[in-house]
Amino acid sequence: MDTKPTEISSSRMFGGYNKRYKHFSPTLGCSMTFYIYFPPSPSPSHKFPVLYWLSGLTCSDENFIIKSGAQRVASSEGIALVAPDTSPRGLNVEGEADSWDFGVGAGFYVNATQEKWKNWRMYDYVVKELPKLLSNNFPQLETTKASIFGHSMGGHGALTIYLKNLDKYKSVSAFAPIANPINCAWGQKAFTNYLGGNKSDWEEYDASLLVTKFHDVSATILIDQGEDDKFLPDQLLPHKFEEACRKANVPLLLRVQPGYDHSYFFIATFIDDHIRHHAQALRLS
């Protein structure tokens, strides 16, 4: 069981490389894959800041790398993109693949406390294990200069991880995040199963509640939300987060984009703005 990452694919793009790696994760108890986009390097000793992308329900580490088009501006801005998977895989826990919104492909970036789902510790994987793995194995990455963003479930992950670790990330943004999961069906289902029935435990993973506690935010939070997103009214609830930010005096730019849905067509349309948002914060740090 090799905890060191092994390269399993490499494709040149915009002068840099998309590289996929496999490693054994002690945090999750299984083999995991992740992608890194390395921009073209100006010199052998150059170090790139890191921008983590967290994907949404049903996704793997591949969706963003293949569909978003983020590499164009990441290349010109000199930022490495890191895209992990969305859950443990291959553990064969009973019921892990019964529904698309829970279990495999749906880790919700929490540390599960319920015995059955004890391997679902995507929070620790993203916040602790992965940065350490990158730091130990990729000298060209400056892992102390990092930002984070994501989509839907991954937008929820990015917001909550950022707010609880303001010392570790320079900025955050999200596309159509699940912004108030304790008040939507996706969140309630995931939290009940991963965290149990005590709703105070759920609050540790709800951005709309966390922002009232962790509000020493240095960079404006950027959120894009498609106005024609079918999940907007009852699952995503960005206006709850907007209200919480206003009360906590946290700078938020929430852009509601007319005509756009929940898909990667929407993400690809606005991805350049997000990369530049993070590039600015990473440059200032």
Side-chain angles (χ1 to χ4, degrees):
M1 291 191 296
D2 194 0
T3 55
K4 280 181 79 69
T6 306
E7 185 180 311
I8 52 177
S9 72
S10 178
S11 303
R12 194 156 170 82
M13 191 175 187
F14 296 116
Y17 286 92
N18 297 310
K19 290 182 180 282
R20 197 181 193 199
Y21 298 91
K22 187 173 188 174
H23 74 109
F24 180 81
S25 164
T27 304
L28 305 173
C30 64
S31 285
M32 294 293 284
T33 52
F34 62 89
Y35 259 104
I36 304 177
Y37 174 70
F38 293 100
S41 186
S43 72
S45 60
H46 185 79
K47 283 179 171 285
F48 298 106
V50 176
L51 177 53
Y52 294 93
W53 170 268
L54 304 183
S55 279
L57 291 164
T58 75
C59 289
S60 71
D61 55 315
E62 294 185 284
N63 302 66
F64 174 75
I65 292 293
I66 294 167
K67 293 179 174 180
S68 72
Q71 294 92 332
R72 185 192 301 270
V73 175
S75 170
S76 61
E77 293 284 356
I79 291 174
L81 303 171
V82 176
D85 205 344
T86 54
S87 77
R89 293 183 191 266
L91 292 167
N92 300 316
V93 174
E94 186 199 348
E96 68 174 19
D98 286 359
S99 54
W100 64 274
D101 58 358
F102 179 78
V104 169
F108 272 84
Y109 306 101
V110 303
N111 286 336
T113 55
Q114 302 307 289
E115 180 62 24
K116 182 177 179 181
W117 304 103
K118 63 178 187 260
N119 292 78
W120 268 250
R121 299 181 61 80
M122 287 303 293
Y123 179 91
D124 274 359
Y125 178 74
V126 169
V127 175
K128 297 178 182 174
E129 182 179 334
L130 193 54
K132 194 172 175 188
L133 186 83
L134 298 176
S135 176
N136 289 344
N137 293 281
F138 301 99
Q140 65 273 57
L141 300 181
E142 193 170 355
T143 51
T144 55
K145 287 181 88 166
S147 291
I148 191 164
F149 67 153
H151 170 234
S152 195
M153 174 185 74
H156 142 77
L159 291 170
T160 54
I161 285 170
Y162 171 75
L163 290 168
K164 290 165 83 168
N165 299 275
L166 292 169
D167 57 325
K168 288 189 171 77
Y169 305 96
K170 309 300 180 190
S171 51
V172 69
S173 72
F175 292 85
I178 304 171
N180 185 203
I182 67 170
N183 286 318
C184 78
W186 282 341
Q188 289 162 358
K189 177 179 179 177
F191 290 177
T192 300
N193 285 283
Y194 291 139
L195 305 172
N198 183 352
K199 293 193 178 174
S200 65
D201 294 337
W202 302 7
E203 294 176 4
E204 290 301 305
Y205 297 103
D206 188 304
S208 295
L209 297 170
L210 291 171
V211 80
T212 63
K213 284 202 289 187
F214 305 104
H215 43 67
D216 191 17
V217 168
S218 53
T220 298
I221 296 171
L222 171 63
I223 294 178
D224 274 313
Q225 172 62 60
E227 197 168 36
D228 287 9
D229 186 328
K230 66 181 179 183
F231 302 117
L232 173 57
D234 54 357
Q235 297 281 19
L236 304 175
L237 313 176
H239 298 295
K240 296 280 193 189
F241 184 69
E242 184 181 35
E243 197 180 308
C245 285
R246 195 163 41 238
K247 283 182 182 165
N249 208 21
V250 166
L252 168 69
L253 177 57
L254 171 61
R255 309 191 302 187
V256 178
Q257 305 288 4
Y260 287 91
D261 61 15
H262 197 68
S263 71
Y264 266 89
F265 300 122
F266 156 62
I267 293 170
T269 303
F270 300 103
I271 193 73
D272 292 3
D273 289 349
H274 285 247
I275 305 285
R276 292 190 178 109
H277 167 79
H278 295 294
Q280 184 182 11
L282 290 161
R283 269 198 298 272
L284 293 171
S285 63

